[in-house]
Amino acid sequence: MRPFLSGLLLLGSAIVASAETLPLPQSLIALNSAEGGRMLLSSEANADYFDLGIHFTNQVHPAFCGPATIAMVLNALEVERPKSDMTLGLGLFDQENVFTPETEAVKPRAVLERSGLTLDELAGMFGAHSVQAKVHHAEDSSLDAFRSAATASIEDDVSFVLVNYLRAGIGQERGGHISPLGAYDAETDRFLILDVSRYKYPPVWVEAATLFDAMNTPDSDNDNRSRGYLLVSR
């Protein structure tokens, strides 16, 4: 166990507890619950929780789950960081400076603010920052393949796994959403979603099969191709 695990867990719990979140279905386990905390402490794969947790950011626009996730992952990958007024000149990525002329060619910000990002567009945004993002549409994958790839990515020190899923598919309110995964608990076969809209939901543990089914849903903005997951690395 990493020596600062309990401190980060407490920090995460404090942030969640201070927000007015929506009720969770019984099928999900909040990270800041007693059970959710124990699962993180005992999980075999949790390295990405720490790497992403210190860069956690809450989305600042209803359609910015993608940009918020991109900023977190670019910072965790230690991509060369630009100056920014939002981060007080500290040279971190945020939900303003992730937009560049190169990302505008993938999807203009004005359009993104109306419709969000599809899985392939999310990969293109990472590519615009010279970062590799391998697309896995759920319809072309399987639960076993997803579980294996995601767990390996969570535990390695070179990549991160991002999921694009239908909230209604895991019992939450409504549409599509993007967030990174932080941990996997083999005993319960659950992944920890580090939800970037903390004002709606806390980080939650969701059964792998339920999450995969929520990814294996059509994205109407992408010719009905399914949602899925990305493996992102330098």
Side-chain angles (χ1 to χ4, degrees):
M1 183 188 305
R2 298 174 190 233
F4 51 94
L5 188 154
S6 58
L8 271 179
L9 178 58
L10 290 173
L11 175 61
S13 298
I15 294 171
V16 173
S18 67
E20 292 292 332
T21 55
L22 297 173
L24 281 181
Q26 292 185 348
S27 59
L28 301 179
I29 301 171
L31 173 62
N32 61 319
S33 67
E35 184 179 5
R38 285 194 297 269
M39 289 169 64
L40 179 63
L41 292 170
S42 63
S43 60
E44 294 83 357
N46 56 30
D48 282 1
Y49 174 82
F50 305 98
D51 294 330
L52 292 169
I54 60 175
H55 295 294
F56 180 83
T57 185
N58 196 53
Q59 67 184 84
V60 297
H61 184 283
F64 273 23
C65 55
T69 299
I70 291 167
M72 287 173 61
V73 172
L74 292 178
N75 286 328
L77 286 172
E78 298 184 345
V79 173
E80 185 176 354
R81 300 161 180 174
K83 298 289 185 181
S84 170
D85 291 338
M86 282 189 73
T87 50
L88 304 178
L90 296 177
L92 294 173
F93 282 98
D94 56 48
Q95 294 168 70
E96 289 293 329
N97 63 22
V98 294
F99 293 102
T100 67
E102 290 77 17
T103 66
E104 286 291 297
V106 176
K107 189 167 193 175
R109 175 174 177 164
V111 179
L112 189 157
E113 289 178 350
R114 296 194 300 270
S115 61
L117 291 169
T118 65
L119 188 67
D120 290 293
E121 290 166 347
L122 182 65
M125 295 282 281
F126 277 109
H129 287 283
S130 300
V131 171
Q132 298 181 49
K134 187 172 182 180
V135 176
H136 296 267
H137 289 279
E139 64 188 355
D140 299 328
S141 184
S142 68
L143 172 59
D144 288 342
F146 164 62
R147 183 190 293 110
S148 177
T151 302
S153 177
I154 290 168
E155 267 299 270
D156 69 29
D157 59 358
V158 297
S159 69
F160 296 93
V161 55
L162 283 55
V163 289
N164 177 15
Y165 60 99
L166 184 66
R167 278 198 184 276
I170 66 171
Q172 295 180 335
E173 288 197 4
R174 303 212 258 178
H177 192 53
I178 294 167
S179 283
L181 297 181
Y184 173 73
D185 179 62
E187 183 176 352
T188 61
D189 193 25
R190 287 176 181 262
F191 285 100
L192 176 63
I193 300 176
L194 297 179
D195 198 322
V196 296
S197 57
R198 288 270 177 96
Y199 55 88
K200 292 181 69 173
Y201 293 105
V204 293
W205 291 96
V206 57
E207 291 182 349
T210 300
L211 178 57
F212 184 79
D213 287 344
M215 293 190 295
N216 197 15
T217 53
D219 189 332
S220 59
D221 290 332
N222 196 26
D223 298 326
N224 288 324
R225 288 228 65 187
S226 73
R227 298 177 171 90
Y229 61 100
L230 293 184
L231 298 178
V232 182
S233 61
R234 289 291 295 271

